[in-house]
Amino acid sequence: MRLAVQHRTHYGYEQAVRSSIQYLRLQPRSSTAQQIESWQLTLPDGHQPPIIRDGFDNLMQVFVLERPHREIVIEARGVVILTDRFNGRLHDSLEPLPFVRPTPLTLPDEALTELAWHHLGQRRDLAALCTLQEAILAAMPYRPGVTEVWYPPGKPGASARGSVRIMCMSCSAAPA
């Protein structure tokens, strides 16, 4: 599967700030499950900080803007080629357990559990997971300026599609 990815983050401040530091983890890394065909990160003032690796082997950049500003716009885009050679599971040196432990924000409620099982059943292949992703998007569309990630499921205003995806994967024992 070939994915075209485009991500935009916009920070706006009521008053100008003197400086900002951003830790950017917006560049995927190639692995046995995906190859990065192309990737571009666009930062203010044409900055291109060096790429380093964090403790989990993620590619990371530290962006520092040392001038007064009222907004920051960061854009990432590229093409990623996914393979289903491992039935949706990564086989590399990273241990997934720190990312699948339950927290108050990732515990699925009854409705999310039902959604996951309805669309996955006993299947855990890439096609089934994509079908679940489409169902989540249809049930909880992303709305800029409205969707938040810190509401637990079932709470009024909870519409965090990314968090819901992780909750559905967790309740179905599928990799997030």
Side-chain angles (χ1 to χ4, degrees):
M1 179 185 319
R2 190 170 190 245
L3 299 177
V5 178
Q6 184 172 351
H7 172 85
R8 182 175 192 264
T9 300
H10 179 257
Y11 297 99
Y13 307 98
E14 289 183 14
Q15 298 178 7
V17 296
R18 286 185 281 176
S19 64
S20 296
I21 298 175
Q22 302 288 324
Y23 292 90
L24 307 174
R25 290 178 177 87
L26 293 171
Q27 182 165 338
R29 64 182 173 86
S30 291
S31 70
T32 56
Q34 67 184 20
Q35 292 300 311
I36 311 310
E37 184 175 287
S38 63
W39 200 261
Q40 177 183 345
L41 188 62
T42 305
L43 300 170
D45 300 342
H47 284 265
Q48 289 300 316
I51 297 171
I52 58 177
R53 292 183 184 266
D54 69 10
F56 292 104
D57 205 28
N58 295 307
L59 301 178
M60 183 179 97
Q61 292 169 285
V62 180
F63 169 61
V64 180
L65 188 58
E66 295 186 286
R67 64 168 173 76
H69 56 279
R70 294 194 60 190
E71 73 174 3
I72 298 175
V73 177
I74 300 169
E75 294 182 320
R77 67 180 53 163
V79 177
V80 179
I81 299 173
L82 301 179
T83 64
D84 192 24
R85 295 189 304 206
F86 302 109
N87 196 24
R89 296 187 184 273
L90 289 178
H91 288 272
D92 59 17
S93 62
L94 295 179
E95 176 59 54
L97 292 179
F99 305 101
V100 297
R101 73 168 202 261
T103 72
L105 293 177
T106 61
L107 290 174
D109 63 10
E110 187 176 326
L112 292 176
T113 302
E114 183 178 314
L115 178 71
W117 283 109
H118 175 76
H119 290 282
L120 291 178
Q122 297 300 315
R123 296 178 56 202
R124 298 296 181 273
D125 57 278
L126 187 57
L129 296 174
C130 289
T131 300
L132 176 59
Q133 290 276 62
E134 291 169 3
I136 293 168
L137 178 59
M140 303 179 78
Y142 174 74
R143 293 184 180 94
V146 176
T147 302
E148 305 294 347
V149 297
W150 45 80
Y151 292 108
K155 180 176 179 179
S159 59
R161 192 176 86 230
S163 296
V164 168
R165 177 180 65 87
I166 292 170
M167 290 176 226
C168 286
M169 298 298 122
S170 297
C171 73
S172 63

